[in-house]
Amino acid sequence: MVSDPAMRHTGFDSVQIDADARTLGASVTHRLRLAITRGELMPGQPLGQEDLAQRFGVSRVPIRDSLKQLAAEGLVDLAPYRGAVVAQLSLDELDELYGIIWSLEALCVEKAVPLLGVAELARMAALIDEMEREARPSEWYALSVSFHSLILVAAGRSRCVRIVDECRHNVGRYLIERDFFATQVPAWRARNRKLFEACRRRDTAAAIKALDVMRTLSTGQIREHLKATQRRRPAR
């Protein structure tokens, strides 16, 4: 029985942990990462090793290793005598993460746009169409991350893909809060479509401009949302 009530409704019941010792740690880390980035575990929520070990049916060793890995990714805070908690982004951290995202994407767009082939453009078009239909926040955001990753992949920048994905997963948990998502997603859809249209025309300058609009508008809106979230949090 899980002793922490906050752990009881996080979607862990559907998890199938791989019994193979070689992949056990990766399985636990992957599921915990998803629980955080999908908003199943909220910023500031305690992550008791014993509770997690019981839920996954594993020892505390893979749990401890997973928490260390997620701390390195910025998703978990580890503090002496306090244990692990889901990390809360500061405004400075948000600015840093988005600075990394937009800088690397702008670098890759310049190289990728002339290289995009029929298959890549078809996949991008399919993702744009899926984003138009998808109304579930976490599923929509996963599609958006995949769309942007295609540009990074086309540029042949595999390291950029890994870095940007990690940054996007960290900030994404704030974007998928339902009320904020519902008010902002129409504009996000339009901005992604504008970027796609520029890519389809092989218009590098327009693609870079579309990214700059995203950087200016989206980052500002998300920054204000994070500030509002932080103001509300002490009253909970």
Side-chain angles (χ1 to χ4, degrees):
M1 187 75 176
V2 177
S3 57
D4 185 352
M7 293 291 182
R8 292 175 184 160
H9 301 291
T10 58
F12 288 153
D13 292 337
S14 62
V15 179
Q16 296 296 320
I17 294 299
D18 197 323
D20 189 330
R22 293 170 299 177
T23 57
L24 177 62
S27 296
V28 172
T29 302
H30 175 66
R31 188 60 189 93
L32 276 174
R33 185 186 294 110
L34 284 180
I36 293 170
T37 58
R38 290 177 176 175
E40 297 169 9
L41 295 172
M42 300 300 293
Q45 184 169 334
L47 299 170
Q49 291 187 22
E50 189 61 37
D51 288 322
L52 292 172
Q54 289 181 26
R55 173 60 67 182
F56 286 129
V58 299
S59 73
R60 294 176 64 172
V61 173
I63 298 296
R64 186 167 58 247
D65 292 344
S66 294
L67 292 174
K68 289 179 181 178
Q69 173 61 38
L70 296 177
E73 297 176 15
L75 294 173
V76 169
D77 282 337
L78 298 175
Y81 312 112
R82 190 166 61 95
V85 299
V86 179
Q88 303 182 52
L89 277 184
S90 69
L91 291 172
D92 286 344
E93 288 169 329
L94 179 72
D95 290 342
E96 180 183 11
L97 290 170
Y98 266 122
I100 293 169
I101 290 169
W102 300 126
S103 296
L104 292 181
E105 287 201 351
L107 175 69
C108 290
V109 158
E110 191 166 8
K111 182 177 180 181
V113 170
L115 300 176
L116 289 168
V118 173
E120 289 87 357
L121 289 169
R123 179 59 184 148
M124 291 173 74
L127 286 168
I128 288 291
D129 289 343
E130 287 184 71
M131 280 188 276
E132 292 288 343
R133 297 189 299 269
E134 183 58 71
R136 294 168 297 177
S138 60
E139 286 77 3
W140 184 92
Y141 189 68
L143 292 170
S144 182
V145 171
S146 295
F147 171 75
H148 285 265
S149 293
L150 283 173
I151 298 172
L152 305 179
V153 171
R157 308 277 187 174
S158 58
R159 184 168 296 177
C160 287
V161 173
R162 293 194 299 272
I163 294 171
V164 170
D165 277 359
E166 183 176 307
C167 292
R168 283 196 175 278
H169 286 142
N170 207 323
V171 299
R173 53 208 171 105
Y174 294 91
L175 275 67
I176 64 172
E177 292 179 13
R178 185 163 294 278
D179 290 344
F180 181 66
F181 173 84
T183 60
Q184 300 299 329
V185 72
W188 296 340
R189 287 183 177 125
R191 289 168 199 160
N192 275 337
R193 182 168 287 281
K194 185 155 286 195
L195 174 58
F196 168 66
E197 293 296 342
C199 290
R200 184 162 62 180
R201 297 194 309 270
R202 307 295 204 286
D203 188 337
T204 302
I208 292 174
K209 183 177 179 181
L211 274 180
D212 192 56
V213 169
M214 290 180 179
R215 177 186 62 80
T216 303
L217 296 181
S218 297
T219 303
Q221 291 161 342
I222 294 158
R223 201 174 194 280
E224 290 304 309
H225 173 59
L226 180 57
K227 286 168 65 176
T229 300
Q230 291 173 340
R231 286 196 297 269
R232 292 193 304 267
R233 191 168 288 128
R236 289 176 182 174

